[in-house]
Every structure is written in C-alpha cells, then in structure tokens.
Amino acid sequence: MHPFRFGVMSTGRPDGWAHFARRVEDLGYDVLQVAQHFSLRSVPPLPAVALAAAATSTLQVGTLVLDNETTHPAVVARDAAWLAAETDGRFELGIGAGWLGTDHTVVGAPWRCPADRVARLDEALSLIRACWAGEPTTFTGTHYRVDGLANGSVTPAPPRILVGGGGPRLLAVAARHADIVGIAPDMRSGRIGGAAARTVAPDQVATKIERVRALTAERVQPVVLHVALTAVLDRAATSRIEKTAAAFGLPPEEIDDVPSVLVGSTAEIVERLRERRERLGFSYVSVPESALDRLAPVVAELAGT
C-alpha cells in the first residue's frame, strides 16, 4: 500500500496566499492544489503554485487540474518542467480534458464533445511526455503537431502527472499516462449536479477502480489512487447528511460508504480512511479548503504512514 498523502484544494485566499500556503504546510498537509477555471472563482493556477512553493520549504504544490483545452500541451510541458526544476521536484501536474462547459464558452472557446476532449487529452499527454524526454521534439498527431521544438522542456526528473477520470474513456487515458489516477465523477455533461454525484456512489467507484487496476496490472510501479473529498460532516448534522446522501441517490445510513464523503469524529475518520485504503486503494486524499482545520488532526495521525 502507498503511504497516505493529503492535499488541500483551494481557489485562493483573500487574506494572503503566501500566508495561507505556510499555514497548510504548518498543519502537516503534503500538497496545496489549485484548480483552473474561468467561469468560477479561482486564482491563476501556475503563478499561484509557484508563489506557494516560494513561500514554503517542504510543501508540495500542484494543479487540480489544468484544462487541456485552454493551453497547447507543449506550453504546459515547458512550464511544468520549469516549475519542477525550480521547486526541487515539489510540483505535481494535474491535467484534465476540461469538464466545465462554461469555462470554455465564457471566453468564446469551442465546447467540444466528450469523445473529442478525451482524445485530445490522450494525445496531449503523449506530447508532454515527449517534450520531457528529449529535445528538439518532433510530434505529429491528429490534434497537435510540433516540428523541432526546442523550448527547454527536457527534464531528468519530470513532474508526477495526476489525471482524474469518471468515464471509461478518460479512465483508460489516465491508466496509460498518469502516475496518480483520480477516481472522479463522470462529468461528460459539463455540469455539476446529482447525475454526476451518482457516478461516484460506492458501487460505481468500485467498478472504476477495478477498471484502473486491470489497465495498469503490467506496470512496474503501481499507480497511486486519488480521491477528492466533497463533504466532511459531523455525525450530529442529520440534515446535511440526508441532503448529501440524497445527492448520491442513497439513504442516509449508507453515506459512510461514499468514498468522497467523511462523517464522524477524528477517530472515526482515521479508521474509515484506513479501511478505504485497505479495501479500495485510496492513499491520496484531497481535502476542501473549508475542512482544513477539521481534518488537521487526521492528517497529523495518518500522513506518511
């Protein structure tokens, strides 16, 4: 089993980003993660993680995730290689196919069908790996082409790649390219809602993990399985438990089985995470910023074990 790692997902802090990064580090979290959005509140991801790394000494930083549809993968390869080198390997590249339709339409970009977005991400990841492996880079694909690209992307220690997947096509891409595979909702509709939540109900998650394990069975280094928490609830918060369970299409008494939800005391949560690692393989857990202090005692007990 992989040791536990804990990330904090943030969209940016009005009280000072560098101060917040140091606080995340002081609380014992492993990684500070930033999403990329245009239609939701968010800091610019790469400048934000660079500043966070500069303000800390051991904290790892990463994107959760960049939208492949917004930037040419050769640019991503160059920027990621530079960040990895300048942070002494503390940068982690999370990248996805682009799940939120309004992130594209708000800036007048095309909102491609799910199959096209996934195919473009698959090819982009091949190009990124090629840029890291040798220079100059020549690559001819269906969606991307570079010819003798010399842009300083070569790195002897490339960043780890995190790709989250909710549908079978995207999970297959993650299994081919990623060091870390996130088990995520199926977001092909481009909207947040109950339909997406129900795709990470317990039976759905188990099926996705089985698929990833089958696709990565021949790897020398097994992939790390990642889950992003959507809710951390107190046992006494019955109305919130009922509402959250309903979103997953479950009765309240089954909410403890949802891998992206944690309920109960520190001791209960510690035991639940250990059980999920043993049964499902989740060792990398990303915590919403709102639960930073709530889960700090859990992190103190489990991180690195």
Side-chain angles (χ1 to χ4, degrees):
M1 292 184 294
H2 293 284
F4 279 111
R5 293 177 73 217
F6 291 91
V8 175
M9 302 177 288
S10 179
T11 57
R13 297 282 293 193
D15 57 346
W17 180 246
H19 171 78
F20 178 67
R22 287 190 288 269
R23 185 159 170 260
V24 170
E25 182 178 54
D26 290 343
L27 287 173
Y29 287 88
D30 299 285
V31 192
L32 177 54
Q33 300 163 314
V34 181
Q36 179 184 37
H37 290 295
F38 293 115
S39 58
L40 301 175
R41 178 178 172 269
S42 178
V43 295
L46 296 184
V49 298
L51 179 59
T56 57
S57 56
T58 62
L59 185 68
Q60 297 170 47
V61 295
T63 51
L64 192 68
V65 292
L66 296 184
D67 182 345
N68 179 61
E69 292 293 293
T70 63
T71 308
H72 195 285
V75 177
V76 174
R78 178 201 62 192
D79 293 353
W82 186 87
L83 277 168
E86 292 298 314
T87 61
D88 294 324
R90 289 192 285 145
F91 175 69
E92 180 177 277
L93 174 63
I95 187 167
W99 65 270
L100 186 58
T102 53
D103 276 345
H104 302 171
T105 57
V106 75
V107 293
W111 174 233
R112 296 181 173 91
C113 73
D116 285 351
R117 282 182 279 125
V118 172
R120 286 167 61 84
L121 176 64
D122 191 10
E123 193 171 290
L125 287 162
S126 294
L127 174 52
I128 288 169
R129 293 285 193 191
C131 287
W132 290 344
E135 128 175 84
T137 302
T138 296
F139 181 94
T140 302
T142 303
H143 306 285
Y144 302 104
R145 177 179 176 179
V146 296
D147 187 7
L149 181 68
N151 63 0
S153 299
V154 176
T155 173
R160 284 175 296 186
I161 293 178
L162 185 158
V163 177
R169 280 188 299 244
L170 191 48
L171 282 171
V173 170
R176 274 194 294 276
H177 297 284
D179 307 292
I180 304 159
V181 176
I183 304 300
D186 188 331
M187 298 299 298
R188 72 185 70 190
S189 68
R191 296 186 301 274
I192 301 170
R198 285 188 286 275
T199 67
V200 282
D203 58 336
Q204 297 273 344
V205 168
T207 299
K208 293 176 186 185
I209 291 172
E210 287 176 9
R211 178 171 176 78
V212 171
R213 285 176 171 160
L215 291 171
T216 60
E218 301 303 316
R219 282 201 182 190
V220 175
Q221 295 294 331
V223 296
V224 173
L225 291 183
H226 169 268
V227 62
L229 299 179
T230 55
V232 180
L233 306 170
D234 292 325
R235 189 70 64 187
T238 54
S239 61
R240 287 193 64 200
I241 289 173
E242 290 170 357
K243 183 177 180 181
T244 303
F248 290 97
L250 297 171
E253 60 269 19
E254 295 182 20
I255 193 64
D256 279 335
D257 296 326
V258 178
S260 60
V261 176
L262 290 172
V263 184
S265 66
T266 295
E268 287 178 292
I269 289 173
V270 165
E271 184 58 32
R272 181 66 63 186
L273 289 173
R274 284 176 173 153
E275 182 271 332
R276 287 176 184 169
R277 182 175 63 173
E278 178 72 28
R279 180 170 53 88
L280 299 172
F282 287 121
S283 61
Y284 189 177
V285 181
S286 288
V287 175
E289 186 179 63
S290 59
L292 176 73
D293 294 308
R294 172 74 173 81
L295 288 187
V298 174
V299 172
E301 183 163 348
L302 290 181
T305 65

